[in-house]
Amino acid sequence: MIDRSLVGEVLAGLSYLPSVAILGPRQVGKTTFVKTLVAQLNKPSVYLDLEYFADRVKLQNAPDLYFQEHQNEIVILDEIQRMPELFPLLRSMIDQHRQPGRFILLGSASPDLLRQSSETLAGRIVYLKMHPLHYREISTVQITYQQHWLRGGFPDALLAPNDKAAELWFRGFVQTYVERDLPALGLPATPDTTRNLLRMLTNVQGGLLTYSDLSDSLNISQPTVKTYIGFLESAFLIRRLEPYFANVSKRLVKSPKLFFTDTGLLHHLMGIQNFEGLQGNIGLGRSWEGYVIQQIIANLRSDVEPYFYRTKDKTELDLVLVQNTQVKMTLEIKYGNNPNTSRGNTVAIEDLEAKQNLIVTPQADDYWLRSNLRVCNIATVWRYLGNEGLLADS
């Protein structure tokens, strides 16, 4: 099993708060992680899978009695979004017998979609996000960045014995998400519409999200498209990266950029089945950009906000990291080990006045390209992020 970087935050939450919620996409490894972690703690636990009929029955008639009987154990509730009606009861149980680490909630939906929990468990819970396996987690095992980039970070796909097995896993994963999981979360789209939307979004990867184009292609209204995309984001399949507004005198782009949170899923939807196919694909550069952005965001401190920067006259940077309202670092992401920068990159760096500016490549040696711009690679970028205090464990 690959060690997950979230362990420190989970242990800290369990030592202080009555409940900890670990949220992330399906099949990302939440259940395996928690079962392994709890087995190492000196406290008994009980596990309930709320998608399993027998476990749901235990909570249908007298859930308050069940929780009282297990009040001295860690109660793990998996796929909590299946029974959101439990949240008011959890608040009551916590207030009656408040102690650290009573409940661990696992879910495949964002806190925004679990609105009842955020309203009823305020002050009693911390929400932590589990990303697909990221670069710093897999760098300790024999997995190359190329394999990680191609297959993404879902454990069953990344660790599959070959590319064909990974492709078969993704086929079943997408089918289950489209036909069962997203409708269960409340997505009103038909499975065919959802599939078409996902495929269209692969063409938007790394680009500005224009709802009108998607609306016209799918023959549905723009508000409906926004709703569907909101559900995909709440299920952790995609990310909308917002633009950074730093200079009111500039004509700034206001639309978000869209990225798939896992490049393995992106490549499956694009029909890419091996690294050679990825190398020859027109979307190579945007896939690399999304891969690097996901790896960095998955490792940021909770007080660091990621953005991109772009003006109407093509002044742009791929990633802007803001902490305490200050731009701490900018990053331009290039697929190539002899990167060049545009005039727009230079102007953007001057606009934002960050202390550290990087170009992230696959394998280039680290060197100064200019006095205010350093080239690095996917293996060394962490040193500079850590030096600026931007990493979760720095």
Side-chain angles (χ1 to χ4, degrees), residues 2-3 135-143:
I2 299 174
D3 294 334
Y135 182 88
R136 297 174 80 207
E137 291 172 330
I138 63 99
S139 61
T140 59
V141 297
Q142 297 300 311
I143 298 175

Side-chain angles (χ1 to χ4, degrees), residues 20-258:
V20 172
I22 303 175
L23 307 179
R26 278 187 171 277
Q27 301 298 313
V28 80
K30 300 186 296 293
T31 303
T32 300
F33 167 75
V34 168
K35 286 184 175 180
T36 302
L37 178 67
V38 169
Q40 299 171 0
L41 300 177
N42 188 26
K43 187 175 182 180
S45 64
V46 58
Y47 170 84
L48 297 178
D49 182 352
L50 300 185
E51 291 194 323
Y52 180 50
F53 177 76
D55 284 350
R56 288 176 63 92
V57 168
K58 296 175 184 178
L59 300 178
Q60 283 179 344
N61 295 322
D64 54 335
L65 296 180
Y66 184 89
F67 291 143
Q68 288 170 358
E69 289 173 359
H70 296 279
Q71 68 179 10
N72 294 317
E73 301 172 72
I74 300 175
V75 178
I76 304 167
L77 300 175
D78 204 347
E79 299 300 344
I80 186 63
Q81 74 278 354
R82 298 294 189 184
M83 295 185 72
E85 65 272 15
L86 289 177
F87 286 114
L89 177 61
L90 293 177
R91 180 187 62 179
S92 177
M93 293 293 100
I94 288 171
D95 290 347
Q96 289 178 26
H97 184 67
R98 189 179 182 110
Q99 63 179 20
R102 280 200 66 185
F103 297 99
I104 298 178
L105 311 180
L106 308 180
S108 302
S110 71
D112 290 339
L113 209 55
L114 295 175
R115 190 169 302 163
Q116 293 186 56
S117 65
S118 62
E119 292 172 352
T120 61
L121 294 183
R124 306 168 182 87
I125 191 170
V126 60
Y127 290 100
L128 302 174
K129 184 174 180 181
M130 178 171 279
H131 297 266
L133 286 164
H134 57 71
Y135 182 88
R136 297 174 80 207
E137 291 172 330
I138 63 99
S139 61
T140 59
V141 297
Q142 297 300 311
I143 298 175
T144 65
Y145 82 83
Q146 293 97 331
Q147 182 179 346
H148 186 220
W149 173 25
L150 172 67
R151 295 189 184 178
F154 287 102
D156 287 341
L158 179 61
L159 302 177
N162 51 59
D163 291 340
K164 180 62 177 178
E167 170 64 20
L168 288 173
W169 183 87
F170 269 117
R171 189 184 305 172
F173 175 80
V174 170
Q175 181 177 0
T176 301
Y177 242 115
V178 167
E179 295 182 359
R180 189 192 71 170
D181 296 335
L182 291 173
L185 289 174
L187 179 66
T190 65
D192 284 345
T193 298
T194 304
R195 286 192 192 91
N196 290 335
L197 176 58
L198 283 168
R199 292 192 182 101
M200 289 178 188
L201 291 178
T202 65
N203 296 318
V204 185
Q205 166 82 0
L208 296 178
L209 181 57
T210 306
Y211 297 105
S212 59
D213 291 345
L214 296 169
S215 171
D216 292 342
S217 298
L218 290 168
N219 197 28
I220 56 179
S221 69
Q222 288 189 44
T224 300
V225 169
K226 290 181 180 180
T227 297
Y228 291 176
I229 287 178
F231 268 94
L232 295 177
E233 190 169 33
S234 293
F236 306 108
L237 298 181
I238 62 172
R239 165 182 291 110
R240 284 177 285 194
L241 188 65
E242 297 295 332
Y244 181 65
F245 298 100
N247 191 332
V248 294
S249 66
K250 297 278 185 176
R251 297 175 61 247
L252 299 170
V253 168
K254 298 181 180 180
S255 299
K257 291 174 73 172
L258 181 134

